[in-house]
Amino acid sequence: MAEILLLVCIGLVVYTYLGYGLVVWLLIRIRGKRPSAKTDESYSPEVTLVVPAYNELSCLPAKITNSLGQDYPRSKIRFLFVTEGSTDGSTEWIKAHYGQEVDVLGGTERRGKVAAMNEALKYVKTPIVVFTDANTQLNKEAIKNIVRHFQDPIVGAVAGEKRILTNDDESAAGSGEGLYWKYESQLKRWDSELHTIVGAAGELFAVRTELYEHVEPDTILDDFIISLRIAGKGYKVAYEPEAYALEHPSFSILDEQKRKIRIAAGGFQSIVRLSYLLNPFKYGILCFEYVSHRVFRWAVAPICLPLIFLLNAWLAYSALQAPSPMGTAWITLFVLQCLFYGAAWVGYQLEQRRLRWKLLFVPFYFTFMNVCALAGLVRYLRGKQSGTWEKVRRADGVLLKVE
């Protein structure tokens, strides 16, 4: 039984991180890409760019300049900054410097990003609403590229791409995050070609205003919940890699750890709130993509990994006590696991000393993500999450919100 359970757990982990991508790629090759609707280059519907900005005064000058510089007809785009609860003078600064070009929705109470988005939608009159974060920079063609997908009536939401800015001076966690997002972006491309992507990045995504549903105020992964609920209605969530948001990684492992744990807790919260999507008879391919790409990543692989280590340790010990046909294989596998996690530990120790070795990024970040996922499960079960923003420090020292 121990051998069977070990092999099952290994299979689930391999499928989660490698097998699913291969299966989707093969399905696309066999079935072909989902046909795209014909597009009209002159298509430019009215759009509202909503920017939740709690205490983001340090980011606002660059963000507003970047927003106003979008390659999109100025008469068809409205800018709405939601500064609710800010105590750093954000509301007053925007009104004083950009009051004629940008709308501001303020307030004295800090209720969180989701509440800010819900409130903003009361003032959105355009058919398309685009959400982006205050601490990111968009490419000049982002709005134009993201809204063109709405010419297809089956498209209910469009996700942009999150890109991580890293250099040799930044943390191993940040560099690992950059590698992770490159892989994640490729999976999103394949998901979109097969059927629909499962979850937008909150740094940049757009929805048909009429499809937006007010989200529970304590929701952590608002972008994920919003986009999956739209997909659950039968609409496609498209992916546009040429509409991207540039963001610096967290400043330190500790900051990144806080962010990852909160996201993981949000993942478990999302699984519960989107449990109806687990019905394969009703949701078909969407259920397959959702379970394989998200549920396994958040709730299955992180639990399987410690089981694999413990079961393998037991089988290796048993093989040393009483040799068996598979004994050598179990001992070899256990040694490889020890080397892998040893490399992750060395990567962590080097990071603590501000020393980086790129060879250790993969084992370090892989282990780091899954440990944070388990901590997120504990946090969710203890009910410690909330919808209000928290702050961590990004790689250039500027405070940014945890999502």
Side-chain angles (χ1 to χ4, degrees):
M1 286 298 296
E3 292 182 346
I4 294 174
L5 183 56
L6 174 60
L7 292 174
V8 169
C9 288
I10 291 174
L12 289 172
V13 172
V14 171
Y15 175 76
T16 299
Y17 288 102
L18 296 174
Y20 171 65
L22 178 60
V23 170
V24 172
W25 179 78
L26 287 173
L27 288 175
I28 293 171
R29 298 279 293 187
I30 295 171
R31 197 193 72 173
K33 298 180 182 180
R34 178 185 177 277
S36 300
K38 294 183 178 179
T39 58
D40 180 357
E41 292 298 325
S42 64
Y43 178 75
S44 54
E46 292 186 338
V47 174
T48 299
L49 182 69
V50 173
V51 185
Y54 168 73
N55 279 356
E56 298 281 15
L57 185 57
S58 61
C59 302
L60 287 178
K63 184 63 179 183
I64 293 178
T65 299
N66 176 253
S67 299
L68 295 175
Q70 282 293 305
D71 181 16
Y72 202 79
R74 181 61 64 87
S75 62
K76 293 189 175 183
I77 185 170
R78 179 191 175 199
F79 305 95
L80 178 58
F81 282 71
V82 189
T83 59
E84 57 93 40
S86 291
T87 57
D88 62 352
S90 297
T91 306
E92 295 75 16
W93 185 87
I94 295 176
K95 289 181 178 179
H97 292 83
Y98 294 96
Q100 301 300 314
E101 300 173 277
V102 173
D103 294 320
V104 185
L105 185 58
T108 58
E109 183 182 358
R110 179 193 178 191
R111 296 177 296 170
K113 180 180 179 182
V114 176
M117 294 169 66
N118 287 340
E119 186 67 19
L121 263 291
K122 297 178 183 179
Y123 299 87
V124 173
K125 307 302 180 184
T126 58
I128 306 298
V129 57
V130 181
F131 296 100
T132 182
D133 287 344
N135 64 308
T136 62
Q137 294 285 291
L138 308 182
N139 60 309
K140 191 174 182 179
E141 301 79 17
I143 303 299
K144 179 174 65 177
N145 289 340
I146 208 168
V147 301
R148 64 187 179 89
H149 290 272
F150 289 106
Q151 294 180 71
D152 186 348
I154 198 62
V155 172
V158 185
E161 181 172 291
K162 174 183 177 179
R163 298 186 182 180
I164 303 296
L165 293 170
T166 58
N167 55 53
D168 292 338
D169 296 328
E170 293 176 353
S171 67
S175 299
E177 186 182 12
L179 292 172
Y180 168 78
W181 275 103
K182 289 179 182 178
Y183 175 63
E184 181 66 17
S185 295
Q186 183 58 59
L187 286 181
K188 285 185 176 181
R189 288 186 179 93
W190 288 337
D191 282 343
S192 183
E193 290 173 4
L194 180 65
H195 180 61
T196 181
I197 70 166
V198 282
E203 288 75 12
L204 177 62
F205 72 105
V207 303
R208 293 189 188 274
T209 306
E210 63 181 356
L211 297 180
Y212 181 90
E213 293 183 5
H214 280 215
V215 187
E216 297 86 343
D218 65 338
T219 299
I220 299 175
L221 303 183
D222 51 271
D223 45 3
F224 186 80
I225 291 286
I226 292 169
S227 56
L228 261 291
R229 283 177 174 169
I230 290 175
K233 294 177 181 178
Y235 290 90
K236 172 183 169 63
V237 181
Y239 179 59
E240 180 48 74
E242 293 308 314
Y244 54 85
L246 296 169
E247 182 179 58
H248 286 276
S250 302
F251 181 67
S252 68
I253 291 179
L254 181 60
D255 290 334
E256 182 66 4
Q257 177 181 317
K258 292 177 181 177
R259 194 174 75 94
K260 287 294 186 187
I261 290 175
R262 189 168 191 269
I263 290 175
F268 288 102
Q269 181 192 65
S270 300
I271 291 172
V272 172
R273 292 185 175 176
L274 297 172
S275 58
Y276 60 91
L277 294 180
L278 300 178
N279 183 347
F281 301 103
K282 183 175 182 180
Y283 295 101
I285 296 179
L286 173 60
C287 177
F288 162 70
E289 292 183 326
Y290 171 54
V291 170
S292 299
H293 194 164
R294 297 301 182 185
V295 176
F296 277 24
R297 185 85 60 89
W298 285 333
V300 176
I303 295 174
C304 285
L305 287 170
L307 285 177
I308 290 171
F309 188 83
L310 294 174
L311 289 168
N312 194 187
W314 168 254
L315 290 172
Y317 173 77
S318 299
L320 290 173
Q321 300 301 310
S324 65
M326 290 292 293
T328 301
W330 299 136
I331 294 172
T332 302
L333 178 60
F334 184 68
V335 170
L336 291 175
Q337 282 201 81
C338 290
L339 291 174
F340 182 86
Y341 291 120
W345 182 83
V346 172
Y348 175 77
Q349 295 300 317
L350 291 176
E351 173 64 19
Q352 294 293 91
R353 294 165 175 77
R354 310 296 295 174
L355 299 172
R356 283 110 196 186
W357 188 12
K358 291 186 177 181
L359 184 63
L360 303 177
F361 285 172
V362 172
F364 168 77
Y365 198 70
F366 178 84
T367 305
F368 175 74
M369 282 195 309
N370 284 284
V371 170
C372 289
L374 292 174
L377 172 59
V378 173
R379 176 172 175 168
Y380 173 71
L381 293 175
R382 294 175 63 189
K384 295 296 184 180
Q385 68 283 345
S386 71
T388 55
W389 293 317
E390 299 174 13
K391 294 283 184 175
V392 298
R393 193 174 298 276
R394 74 185 190 193
D396 58 3
V398 175
L399 286 172
L400 55 90
K401 64 180 174 296
V402 173
E403 297 187 43

